[in-house]
Amino acid sequence: MLAARVLADHFDRVTVIERDQLPDGSENRPGVPHARPLHFFFKRGLMVAEELFPGVTADLQAAGSHLLDQGRDFRILYRSGWSPRAEIGLEFCTFTRPLLEATIRRHLVANPKISLLQGFEVAGLAVSGDGARVEGVRIQPRHQDPNVLPEVQTLAAELVVDTSGRGSKAPEWLEAAGFAKPEETVVDAFWGYATRIYEPVDDFQKDWKNLLVMNRPPYQPRAGIIQPIEGNRWLVTIAGVMHDYPPTDEEGFLKFARSLSSPELYRAIEHARPLSRIWGYRRTENRLRHYEKANVPQGFAALGDSVCAFNPVYGVGMTLTGLEALALRKCLRDGKGRLNSHRFQKQVAKLVAAPWALTTGEDLRWPATQGGQITAKVKFMHWYIEQVIRLIPQSQEVFRRFQEVNHMLKPPTALFHPAVLGPVLRQAFGPKRILPMPKEAPARAPQHSTSTSTVAVRH
Ligand SMILES: Cc1cc2nc3c(=O)[nH]c(=O)nc-3n(C[C@H](O)[C@H](O)[C@H](O)COP(=O)(O)OP(=O)(O)OC[C@H]3O[C@@H](n4cnc5c(N)ncnc54)[C@H](O)[C@@H]3O)c2cc1C
């Protein structure tokens, strides 16, 4: 949707082709099974959404989503202890993903240049007679009678933008059209999620709005989060790495929650009222398609998860997708409305590089991870980030700077600012180590009573 909004500034008509029939309100739908688990926007992601759709933040808030300060409203249990509590000016927007989609979609369809073609699936690319460029997509209705051959139509377009997500078939479409498939890199730490919605107990005493209990590589694989969502509800996601998948039955879910590094999450949900069944999700590998190295034809571009799908535990996907949409805007402006596909995919690759290094680097801390390599650079990054994490419980400054990188407001090199580097060096090599890594997390729990969408096509 963000890409479609950008395209509308340069083309007369933009069609967002979506295989699902889209709900009127904020309901789940089959095309995005990943929408049930936790979704949030880091500050940078929200800024991009607001830039492209002014008023979207206010609309989200009016619909009950929460704008939280990452310092003041969060309690995060790192492997070195709890995060410091003070406002750090980094907003974090929480909601259910269907609410986010519905809110943005309302803004999208208000643009007269943009139309939504629902219930149609993209099945391939249409190419020019000389085979040199993409000139449209082949589409077919989604829910057809299995006894009848699908009626395939061609939708002509000057530019096809594939945003069909992690499961994108664009590499196969390109191959079928005579172009090389992009190479792929996969790094998989075998994370799994289980998610349930709860209504909190009225008098539950807590000093947080959002609770995050992290796991501890390389041996404690379990994590969990409680996120407030619209309707005075909690979205509770528990997660395990290295095939330690959280169960989706009542008893197993609670037992897993109880086994986290802090009892706080379990205490919070113990008496809360479940409002949903428990949903599992396991498609979490980091998957990067190297379009920047491929011979991408003119008339075609790809962005979002269809280029790079991250392990969702790091929460970067939508924010990065937004930044890629802004890169699309810049490339179109530079080309006065014409897109140089190769140049654009190089820009996407540049944007992806740092988050890819950080997320796969973190996943490589787990011994069962497949793919990727523990190079000297990765080892150094492991060591350095470990030092930063050790400092977090005692330094609000380090915490804020670390979060600025997470929120993608600053590049990872910002972690080498003297305000972080100095304490890191003193801690590691100074006469006195400031904070040895505790064996057990301090259980300082508060006391309480209880585009396809997809492919966007412009004509
Ligand atoms: C469990 C989980 C939790 C996550 N949590 C967060 C988070 O907290 N914060 C964050 O920033 N990111 C998060 N992400 C990542 C985020 O979901 C993705 O980065 C984001 O959805 C990518 O958007 P996209 O438009 O590229 O793809 P998608 O959101 O996957 O959208 C693809 C769309 O294309 C449609 N489609 C697919 N194929 C076709 C076809 N052939 N024809 C027509 N339509 C088609 C689908 O129906 C769907 O609507 C999470 C991901 C997962 C898996």
Side-chain angles (χ1 to χ4, degrees), residues 1-2 16-20 22 29-42 45 92-93 95 97 100-101 105 117 119-124 138-140 142 162-170 173 193 195 227 237 281-284 303-321 324 408 451-455:
M1 290 193 278
L2 301 173
V16 179
I17 304 162
E18 171 54 56
R19 61 186 172 186
D20 281 346
L22 296 167
R29 58 189 176 88
V32 280
H34 48 291
R36 290 187 196 273
L38 170 98
H39 265 78
F40 57 79
F41 251 146
F42 282 127
F92 185 97
C93 191
F95 33 63
R97 155 93 183 224
L100 176 70
E101 274 194 23
R105 199 181 304 127
L117 184 60
F120 276 84
E121 187 164 41
V122 176
R138 292 190 297 107
I139 56 170
Q140 60 192 38
R142 184 79 196 284
D162 175 39
T163 63
S164 59
R166 183 183 279 273
S168 167
K169 295 279 181 292
W173 301 338
Y193 279 38
T195 297
Q227 166 167 301
T237 292
Y281 189 86
R282 295 188 182 177
R283 204 162 169 205
T284 57
L303 61 83
D305 277 18
S306 95
V307 176
C308 186
F310 291 95
N311 173 354
V313 82
Y314 305 106
V316 298
M318 295 190 302
T319 296
L320 194 69
T321 299
E324 291 167 9
M408 288 193 229
S451 4
T452 38
S453 288
T454 350
V455 181

Side-chain angles (χ1 to χ4, degrees), residues 85 93 123 137 162 166 209-210 221 225 229 257 384 407 437:
R85 298 298 296 283
C93 191
V137 281
D162 175 39
R166 183 183 279 273
K209 290 184 180 160
N210 201 312
I225 184 163
I229 52 170
Y384 193 84
H407 282 247
M437 182 74 89

Side-chain angles (χ1 to χ4, degrees), residues 359-378:
T359 57
T360 58
E362 282 305 294
D363 277 352
L364 283 167
R365 288 182 191 270
W366 301 99
T369 297
Q370 285 182 4
Q373 274 186 331
I374 305 184
T375 58
K377 194 174 159 195
V378 169

Side-chain angles (χ1 to χ4, degrees), residues 406-440:
N406 276 344
H407 282 247
M408 288 193 229
L409 294 163
K410 301 245 170 93
T413 48
L415 292 176
F416 296 99
H417 184 279
V420 182
L421 183 62
V424 162
L425 295 179
R426 279 197 295 282
Q427 173 176 260
F429 305 113
K432 274 194 292 190
R433 306 245 164 129
I434 297 172
L435 183 73
M437 182 74 89
K439 286 213 167 58
E440 290 301 321

